[in-house]
Amino acid sequence: MTEQSASDSSTGESVTGAQSLIKSLEHAGVKDIFGIPGGAILPAYDPLYDSKIRHILVRHEQGAGHAAQGYAVATGGVGVCMATSGPGATNLVTPLADAHMDSVPMVAVTGQVGAASIGTDAFQEADIRGITMPITKHNFLVTNPADIPRVVAEAFYLARSGRPGPVLVDVAKSALQAQTSFEWPTEISLSGYRPVTRPHSKQIREATRLILESRRPVLYVGGGTIRSRAHKELRQLAELTGIPVVTTLMARGAFPDSHPQHLGMPGMHGTVAAVAGLQKSDLIISLGARFDDRVTGALDSFAPGAKVIHADIDPAEIGKNRAVDVPIVGDCREVIADLVAALTAEQEQGNTGDYEGWVKFVAGVKMRYPLGYDTPPDGTLAPQYVLERLSHISGPESIYVAGVGQHQMWATHFIQYENPNTWINSGGLGTMGFAVPAAMGAKVGRPEATVWAVDGDGCFQMTNQELATCTIEGIPIKVAVINNESLGMVRQWQTLFYEGRYSNTDLQSKRIPDFVKLADAYGAVGLSCESPADVDETIKKAMEVDDVPVVVDFRVHRDAMVWPMVPAGTSNDDINYARGLAPEFEEDDL
């Protein structure tokens, strides 16, 4: 969607502020915008009418924000959304917070009431800059039309540089209507903002020493490796050393699932091998991860015997949750490349790590406690089976976008990820309703790819209005609704911790609404499947449709649960492999 073109020179031509805004977006390389017009932003929509930028008219501003996120992750560029003042802008708060938590590069442009009316509680006025200050990387309020090109250029630079994130540009209507001259800046200079990308050589040497001295190291890989496009370097490092790899929810696809060194995803619903690998390690090499609570469980019992090398482009993350032995500030791609160079030089001198016993131990755990699930005794459809077959039929080149809940965890485990940027989900914020609009954005950014939204029946009912956008705009996403009639993850907790008292989690979604009829009403193809024997044929039918969206209502067993599971707030040592079953490790195995 966006790559700033610094080579474009300024023109100095006389334009309105609105024309300057659209010209600035064009100069920033914007090809697509997701948005909805309204009073304060309306002046910008007139020059947009003549622009080569494609504007995609969404049905809700939240959909515009999530679509911009999906676009950004799928393409590796910056996503762009646009809304008017007041409720239009506040409807972007959730996607902005989501992008902030997951380090997604995004620019949101909002209209604001005229400069003279700011602070008067004018119609549709909201202090969106103040509201979003904690959930954006930076934000701007523009009241002088001459500032528009500079601010737009800075916004895109900030969004994609350093630790990526969302930036808000709020433009007063008076600035959009005023006359100004357009001059695109040829260089950007932000005082005090100099993100460090190249790691310090001393820290690389110290990290190399710890890696060679350790006997039970683990590569703990986070979403920063995806954002820095470090997957090739990561594989080099893993294969050079033989060290086992775990990939967080945000890093799925950074390292191939099929690779023998891969232990899977760690954390609350992580694989037993990944959790055991971290807990029993003597060295954690953290690459673009932030030691969040869903990975660590109770912090005081997390990996108690491990030293920590923590590499991150954001110095604020290092040591925030876990004490660090070797801090490395830098871009993951450059950090990993330097580690590969340093370890290669050591190997040439005959210095290698001794991890043979450790590798044998974690491989044994992986074999002994594989991911699995119970087939429902009544012959109904297992959700895990649906996703296994979807993965097999659609393949690892497809893009899978998940909402939040049980279906998200099943999708991260039972779909096989071999490539980066093929798994998109709401990680840190956990936003229900993310999947459909984010899949729409991913499909706009990668029209050649097959894009599946894997959604729950609860999530789907929050943002499915964007199917109208997809049909009208020719964005043929595919939606697999894992329909268990419930707010499934909440129901699972009620089963395990609240004695089966199912308070307000029954959605009755196999009755109301009829998802097949709903899809038809939106001009999409609707399919339904409730028998294991029909899963393959149904998925293949969906794959054959390539001109309109497809919605498949997979009516799955209601009481399927996500396993493994670490109860919230407890130690990772308390992991349950399945209901009532805890894995056992022999210390002698180490």
Side-chain angles (χ1 to χ4, degrees), residues 501-521:
R501 290 162 55 85
Y502 300 117
S503 175
N504 293 285
T505 48
D506 184 358
L507 294 174
Q508 302 184 48
S509 309
K510 292 179 183 176
R511 188 171 65 88
I512 297 172
D514 183 322
F515 289 136
V516 174
K517 289 181 179 178
L518 183 69
D520 182 65

Side-chain angles (χ1 to χ4, degrees), residues 49-70:
Y49 187 82
D50 299 316
S51 174
K52 291 182 180 179
I53 296 174
R54 179 188 184 188
H55 180 276
I56 295 161
L57 179 62
V58 297
R59 296 307 183 261
H60 192 286
E61 290 90 353
Q62 183 179 352
H66 291 321
Q69 288 181 270

Side-chain angles (χ1 to χ4, degrees), residues 128-400:
I128 196 62
R129 189 180 185 209
I131 290 167
T132 62
M133 197 167 288
I135 55 168
T136 53
K137 187 174 178 183
H138 192 69
N139 57 25
F140 300 87
L141 172 61
V142 182
T143 57
N144 183 348
D147 293 338
I148 290 173
R150 174 187 58 79
V151 166
V152 170
E154 290 177 0
F156 280 90
Y157 175 68
L158 285 164
R160 69 172 183 271
S161 62
R163 179 178 182 171
V167 178
L168 177 89
V169 178
D170 193 34
V171 188
K173 187 173 184 177
S174 54
L176 294 173
Q177 294 173 319
Q179 286 294 129
T180 185
S181 61
F182 175 76
E183 292 189 15
W184 184 249
T186 55
E187 61 181 42
I188 295 171
S189 177
L190 292 170
S191 178
Y193 180 72
R194 292 180 180 83
V196 175
T197 61
R198 190 66 192 266
H200 196 287
S201 59
K202 178 186 175 185
Q203 304 306 94
I204 293 294
R205 288 195 301 272
E206 283 297 300
T208 301
R209 180 182 63 80
L210 282 188
I211 291 170
L212 294 176
E213 288 178 356
S214 68
R215 292 296 175 264
R216 302 191 303 275
V218 173
L219 290 167
Y220 164 40
V221 177
T225 56
I226 296 281
R227 298 290 179 264
S228 65
R229 306 180 192 185
H231 55 284
K232 291 180 181 177
E233 289 78 8
L234 173 63
R235 185 162 184 166
Q236 272 186 299
L237 176 62
E239 292 181 344
L240 176 69
T241 60
I243 296 173
V245 178
V246 301
T247 53
T248 67
L249 180 67
M250 296 307 299
R252 304 290 286 116
F255 193 74
D257 280 359
S258 60
H259 199 287
Q261 287 172 240
H262 193 213
L263 303 182
M265 184 183 81
M268 174 178 279
H269 291 295
T271 66
V272 175
V275 171
L278 287 172
Q279 286 299 97
K280 304 294 184 182
S281 66
D282 67 1
L283 178 66
I284 293 175
I285 306 153
S286 176
L287 303 168
R290 56 189 180 88
F291 291 88
D292 69 287
D293 62 292
R294 283 303 189 259
V295 168
T296 66
L299 262 173
D300 59 1
S301 63
F302 175 68
K307 292 183 178 180
V308 174
I309 298 167
H310 193 173
D312 202 289
I313 198 162
D314 184 355
E317 288 296 345
I318 297 176
K320 184 178 79 175
N321 293 327
R322 171 65 182 250
V324 175
D325 296 277
V326 180
I328 305 177
V329 178
D331 179 79
C332 271
R333 191 173 181 181
E334 296 196 39
V335 170
I336 298 171
D338 282 5
L339 284 173
V340 168
L343 288 163
T344 299
E346 290 288 342
Q347 283 194 9
E348 289 171 355
Q349 298 295 318
N351 300 322
T352 59
D354 178 12
Y355 317 131
E356 184 178 352
W358 171 240
V359 169
K360 183 179 178 181
F361 167 76
V362 292
V365 175
K366 182 179 177 181
M367 185 177 297
R368 201 179 320 154
Y369 298 102
L371 284 169
Y373 57 91
D374 294 325
T375 301
D378 58 0
T380 53
L381 191 54
Q384 301 94 329
Y385 178 73
V386 171
L387 295 168
E388 278 184 335
R389 298 311 301 159
L390 179 62
S391 176
H392 179 77
I393 294 168
S394 194
E397 301 302 320
S398 297
I399 295 173
Y400 302 92

Side-chain angles (χ1 to χ4, degrees), residues 544-569:
E544 289 169 0
V545 178
D546 60 5
D547 56 343
V548 293
V550 182
V551 176
V552 186
D553 181 9
F554 288 105
R555 299 179 160 219
V556 302
H557 184 64
R558 186 170 205 175
D559 290 315
M561 291 196 185
V562 178
W563 300 109
M565 181 179 180
V566 178

